[in-house]
Amino acid sequence: MPAIRRQFRLQWEDAQNCFVLLYPEGMVKLNDSAGEILSRCDGHSNVGAIVEELARRFPEAENIEADIHEFLADAYDRGWFEEKGWCEEKGRCEHD
Amino acid sequence: MTDSRPPLWLLAELTYRCPLQCPYCSNPLDMAGIDAELDTESWCRVMAEARRLGAAQLGFSGGEPLLRPDLETLVAEGRRLGYYTNLITSAVGMNSARVAALREAGLDHIQISFQASSAELNNALAGSDKAFAQKCAMAAEVKRQGYPMVLNFVIHRHNIDQLAQMLELATALQADYVELANAQFYGWALHNREQLLPSRAQLQRAEATARAYREKLGKKMQIIFVVPDYYEKRPKACMNGWGSIFLTIAPDGTALPCHSAAVLPIDFPNVKQHSIEYIWQHSPGFNHFRGNQWMREPCRSCPEQAQDFGGCRCQAYLLTGEAANADPVCDKSPHHRQIVDIIAASQSGQSCRHDLLLRNMRNSRALLRGRPGS
């Protein structure tokens, strides 16, 4: 169950017209799909549930499951997620 | 020309007062002549107006922001407005109750400065016997109370060889990020430049050390190494461009495109007279170096002008006397020779830590009278 790391805050910004990820002294502007995925990474939904919900919401999107997995792996590599929730989900953790 | 892009960063320099005396401080040398600090209500208005324009990051710095008794009030208001709130502090004047009160107010992150990895050198550079122990204790407390924590070391000739020990200290204190920021030469650092510039050999060893730790630590602790621009061939993209994302408000309410810009011969607006919207979008000060129409050669025809914006206007002014010149760090600048000569001169003489002029109000007043002390 991916959860955004404690030092990050996901927030909608009117001025940017997008979701942004705020962290100490920095900000990442997120595109629409990144914002949709990350806003569901609350530590309570597993990846399967996130895929299911987004597939229902965007029925026209092709390969949505693969795209979500790819985005989540990339976000993990960027250090946006708590290790714990992510590792349980993946059944592995390089730091354990 | 006006700019509709929002300022993303609001840096609130709450005060120039500080219990420490770091000789590389970026505050202005004449800080003793600037005394009237904005009140709580004015800061709240500034935060609200900048947030309406789109600013999302809010930094409280100084001087030492903990000296403001209204810090918790300002943090709470900043957080309520939707800012990501950063406290940039020496940790001197902090205690566990205050760390908790700031948490309660909604503070998102604390950055603590260290001067060195050993008590002896740290305290000598800070001009305070108790600073190092206090910083270590408060860094532990900040982590205990669940904040993300950045440790910031300003790097220079006298501490650069301790980089590995600094990274060990940061690891032991469980920092999330560590900034190894080579001194940039403005304010007090410019005054002390000859005693602060590291040698090229020192710098290369330090970069290798930072690389090795980065590989070893991975995501556990992010290491940010800021190079000293004097050793570069191209200038830094200062502030990501003039009036592009960054808005500093000095303690007296002067609005600046960066915290050093007060040295420039430009009349900058003050929040006591103007709204942030006017200041950001319409004031002559903030539009002065926007775009590229102001550029001279070699910048005017340079294919890299969109990457580095000609470098730093303050550095161009301080070293060449003309703010519209190319930053002399650039080896295309006809003034680049100056940088080469400054490095050579700083490495030839016998420099001693005790020659550093400490940053304090007494020395600032002496400089204002034209008689720097030591």
Side-chain angles (χ1 to χ4, degrees):
Chain A
M1 293 195 245
I4 292 174
R5 211 173 186 151
R6 195 167 182 172
Q7 62 253 42
F8 290 90
R9 194 163 85 221
L10 182 77
Q11 176 168 305
W12 175 262
E13 282 294 297
D14 281 334
Q16 314 283 339
N17 196 32
C18 66
F19 275 105
V20 299
L21 202 53
L22 295 159
Y23 55 94
E25 298 177 37
M27 182 177 99
V28 182
K29 283 162 89 166
L30 299 168
N31 63 26
D32 292 348
S33 49
E36 291 290 348
I37 301 168
L38 274 185
S39 58
R40 287 165 175 81
C41 295
D42 54 6
H44 301 296
S45 316
N46 62 30
V47 177
I50 293 171
V51 170
E52 207 173 296
E53 194 192 337
L54 288 172
R56 214 171 26 239
R57 180 128 185 235
F58 302 100
E60 71 288 358
E62 286 171 37
N63 300 325
I64 194 165
E65 182 164 7
D67 288 350
I68 292 171
H69 280 283
E70 190 186 340
F71 171 80
L72 290 175
D74 182 54
Y76 172 76
D77 283 341
R78 290 166 186 259
W80 293 354
F81 293 135
E82 296 289 358
E83 298 278 345
K84 197 164 173 289
W86 177 261
C87 297
E88 280 167 1
E89 180 84 15
K90 287 300 207 188
R92 66 176 169 86
C93 185
E94 54 195 274
H95 295 291
D96 281 351
Chain B
M1 177 188 163
T2 59
D3 200 312
S4 57
R5 284 179 303 174
L8 297 181
W9 242 110
L10 173 63
L11 183 68
E13 290 188 328
L14 298 180
T15 180
Y16 285 140
R17 292 171 291 138
C18 186
L20 300 189
Q21 307 177 60
C22 308
Y24 48 72
C25 183
S26 64
N27 283 166
L29 290 162
D30 62 359
M31 62 190 186
I34 305 162
D35 47 20
E37 291 177 9
L38 290 184
D39 59 16
T40 313
E41 197 184 351
S42 303
W43 278 118
C44 289
R45 177 176 64 79
V46 165
M47 291 190 292
E49 290 178 358
R51 179 76 187 126
R52 267 202 294 283
L53 287 188
Q57 285 283 350
L58 171 61
F60 294 104
S61 80
E64 175 47 67
L66 289 168
L67 288 172
R68 290 277 302 217
D70 58 354
L71 180 62
E72 286 81 348
T73 308
L74 297 177
V75 167
E77 179 62 6
R79 186 67 180 76
R80 189 188 69 78
L81 289 164
Y83 282 105
Y84 191 92
T85 52
N86 305 272
L87 176 64
I88 298 150
T89 177
S90 70
V92 175
M94 198 180 256
N95 55 46
S96 59
R98 203 131 193 233
V99 177
L102 288 163
R103 189 83 181 141
E104 184 72 18
L107 183 63
D108 288 297
H109 144 241
I110 296 181
Q111 178 191 116
I112 297 179
S113 67
F114 273 79
Q115 285 67 40
S117 58
S118 70
E120 190 261 336
L121 183 56
N122 186 95
N123 293 349
L125 288 163
S128 158
D129 290 343
K130 294 175 185 149
F132 187 74
Q134 166 74 5
K135 285 165 186 289
C136 292
M138 286 303 111
E141 184 62 22
V142 162
K143 285 306 293 183
R144 197 184 66 76
Q145 296 200 25
Y147 286 92
M149 180 174 74
V150 175
L151 297 187
N152 175 285
F153 293 84
V154 173
I155 305 298
H156 46 79
R157 179 189 306 178
H158 303 287
N159 66 6
I160 193 169
D161 295 325
Q162 298 183 347
L163 213 72
Q165 292 93 314
M166 292 177 197
L167 288 163
E168 291 295 338
L169 176 65
T171 309
L173 292 170
Q174 297 175 27
D176 298 285
Y177 301 78
V178 57
E179 285 178 7
L180 305 165
N182 273 277
Q184 307 283 310
F185 297 107
Y186 307 96
W188 296 80
L190 179 63
H191 187 91
N192 287 311
R193 181 178 59 195
E194 287 207 7
Q195 283 81 39
L196 292 172
L197 255 179
S199 70
R200 191 178 290 278
Q202 280 184 307
L203 180 63
Q204 284 166 347
R205 283 197 299 273
E207 283 176 315
T209 303
R211 251 196 320 274
Y213 271 84
R214 216 174 259 144
E215 277 168 32
K216 188 170 108 182
L217 296 171
K219 278 193 283 290
K220 270 189 193 156
M221 185 173 80
Q222 205 170 324
I223 299 170
I224 299 141
F225 189 85
V226 181
V227 297
D229 59 350
Y230 278 38
Y231 282 101
E232 298 287 296
K233 287 194 170 64
R234 288 289 176 273
K236 60 194 169 208
C238 200
M239 297 290 132
N240 200 37
W242 179 274
S244 153
I245 57 173
F246 206 82
L247 170 63
T248 296
I249 308 297
D252 69 347
T254 306
L256 301 165
C258 81
H259 41 280
S260 298
V263 300
L264 297 173
I266 292 174
D267 195 17
F268 286 107
N270 191 298
V271 300
K272 288 176 193 155
Q273 281 93 43
H274 299 287
S275 70
I276 298 295
E277 185 181 3
Y278 165 81
I279 287 168
W280 183 258
Q281 294 177 346
H282 306 293
S283 72
F286 274 76
N287 282 305
H288 210 99
F289 293 115
R290 279 193 174 129
N292 58 7
Q293 290 305 302
W294 56 270
M295 286 183 179
R296 302 174 174 190
E297 292 298 348
C299 300
R300 180 173 281 274
S301 60
C302 181
E304 294 169 68
Q305 61 168 240
Q307 285 147 49
D308 58 36
F309 318 105
C312 171
R313 296 308 90 228
C314 302
Q315 194 144 273
Y317 175 72
L318 290 166
L319 299 187
T320 76
E322 175 49 69
N325 280 340
D327 184 334
V329 158
C330 184
D331 68 3
K332 294 182 180 179
S333 158
H335 298 276
H336 181 67
R337 182 79 220 166
Q338 263 200 67
I339 299 274
V340 176
D341 291 344
I342 289 165
I343 291 175
S346 77
Q347 304 308 315
S348 61
Q350 281 296 320
S351 107
C352 169
R353 197 171 84 209
H354 304 288
D355 295 333
L356 291 164
L357 183 72
L358 292 181
R359 171 241 194 256
N360 55 46
M361 291 300 175
R362 187 170 54 85
N363 283 335
S364 178
R365 279 191 293 272
L367 286 166
L368 282 168
R369 289 194 304 266
R371 280 186 282 116
S374 60

